């Protein structure tokens, strides 16, 4: 394994540029070889297909994760070769289990195909579903509103950097006193805040709704009465904050154009789910299916009844 671990730069340079590109001429390129097995590029690319597409680029750009994947492939291929040599592939019970695993894999592949086909059908009927989206918007306009938002700035003191929570709280109180006395909030944030971005933005957080921030932080920010108001020190999961309210926006109704992307996404997900469920229901309720109910009932194992425990009754009140 050490030889593979030490070869990370080679694999990184060879594969990271195009982790799932089709490479007819290099599909059987041998990436690693032992006395009993060969690991080819096609093995690697096939194994990558089980990784969600959005995570593949990150995997092949991470030397440790890429090495772990390659090492696991070598281990699996080696142990599989030894299992065949030992005749395990001819064991009747293992053969039945393998057949069931193949059935499960193909079933999942079929489900994926049904979902892909449903997505394609939806995309081909964009005009029809856009009309449905307009209807949905008119019937449920209240759903498509922005939440109340505030804009705020903060100065953060992380306890671990200042010798504990009490020390961080003391620094927050000192910073607040300086601001009340006339110190510039942004300059003080750039000098004192443990938020790394404060040096560039003066502690400004921009607009956010109550769900976007730590609950304690949001509660304090939204409770500030007017623009420019300054909070007392507030403890969140990150540390102690001084918060200044910079602005407030009431909830706003989204126009159809603003809400249409969200509505179409919801309709598409629902359409795909319905197509998938229709297929599964059709299988379960196939009129030609014959069920041997007696045989099915015989599969049920009845557990022995637990002994009844009579709890003592409290004495009667006289």
């Amino acid at each position: 394994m050490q030889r593979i671990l030490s070869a990370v730069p080679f694999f990184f340079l060879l594969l990271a540029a195009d982790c799932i590109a089709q490479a007819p001429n290099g599909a059987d390129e041998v990436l690693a070889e032992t006395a009993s097995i060969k690991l080819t590029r096609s093995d690697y690319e096939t194994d990558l297909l089980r990784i969600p597409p959005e995570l593949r680029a990150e995997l092949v750009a991470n030397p440790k994760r890429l090495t772990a994947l390659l090492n696991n492939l070598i281990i699996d291929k080696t142990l599989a070769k030894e299992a065949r040599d030992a005749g395990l592939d001819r064991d009747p019970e293992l053969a039945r289990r393998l057949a069931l695993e193949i059935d499960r894999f193909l079933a999942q592949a079929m489900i994926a195909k049904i979902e892909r086909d449903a997505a394609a059908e939806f995309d081909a009927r964009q005009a029809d579903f856009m009309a449905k989206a307009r209807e949905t918007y008119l019937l449920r306009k209240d759903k498509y509103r922005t939440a109340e938002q505030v804009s705020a700035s903060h100065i953060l003191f992380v306890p671990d950097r200042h010798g504990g929570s009490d020390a961080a709280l003391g620094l927050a109180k000192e910073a607040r006193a300086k601001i009340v006395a006339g110190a510039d909030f942004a300059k003080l944030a750039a000098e004192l805040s443990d938020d790394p971005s404060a040096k560039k933005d003066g502690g400004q957080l921009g607009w956010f709704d109550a769900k976007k921030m730590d609950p304690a932080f949001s509660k304090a920010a939204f409770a500030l009465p007017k623009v420019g108001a300054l909070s007392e020190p507030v403890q969140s999961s990150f540390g102690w904050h001084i918060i200044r309210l910079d602005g407030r926006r009431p909830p706003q109704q989204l126009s159809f154009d603003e809400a249409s992307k969200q509505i179409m996404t919801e309709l598409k997900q629902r359409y795909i789910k319905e197509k998938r469920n229709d297929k599964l229901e059709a299988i379960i309720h196939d009129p030609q299916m014959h069920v041997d109910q007696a045989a099915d009932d015989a599969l049920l194992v009845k557990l022995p009844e637990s002994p009844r425990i009579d709890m003592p009754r409290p004495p009667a009140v006289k």
Side-chain angles (χ1 to χ4, degrees), residues 175-190:
R176 188 181 189 281
K178 290 179 181 179
I179 296 168
V180 171
D184 183 89
F185 189 102
K187 289 183 179 179
L188 208 59

Side-chain angles (χ1 to χ4, degrees), residues 71-84:
N71 282 350
N72 286 336
L73 280 172
I74 290 174
I75 291 170
D76 288 345
K77 289 178 73 68
T78 300
L79 292 176
K81 173 66 165 56
E82 293 177 1
R84 293 187 186 94

Side-chain angles (χ1 to χ4, degrees), residues 70 116 126 164 194 228 261 270 277 285 296 305:
L70 295 169
R116 287 195 305 272
Q126 284 283 318
D194 291 325
K261 183 176 180 181
R270 189 185 311 161
N277 290 347
H285 297 99
D296 287 356
E305 294 184 4

Side-chain angles (χ1 to χ4, degrees), residues 4 7-16 19 44 48 56 58-73:
I4 297 300
V8 168
F10 167 76
F11 285 119
F12 181 77
L13 292 174
L14 178 66
L15 305 172
C19 67
Y44 160 76
L48 270 186
R56 291 175 197 165
E58 178 186 351
L59 185 149
V60 298
N62 185 314
K64 290 184 178 180
R65 294 186 63 192
L66 178 57
T67 298
L69 183 147
L70 295 169
N71 282 350
N72 286 336
L73 280 172

Side-chain angles (χ1 to χ4, degrees), residues 230-261:
L230 201 65
S231 74
E232 294 293 336
V234 176
Q235 187 177 26
S236 77
S237 58
F238 299 97
W240 287 94
H241 308 257
I242 300 298
I243 307 171
R244 184 188 68 191
L245 183 65
D246 297 333
R248 188 185 299 275
R249 289 175 179 167
Q252 295 180 348
Q253 178 67 53
L254 294 175
S255 67
F256 174 73
D257 287 342
E258 292 170 326
S260 60
K261 183 176 180 181

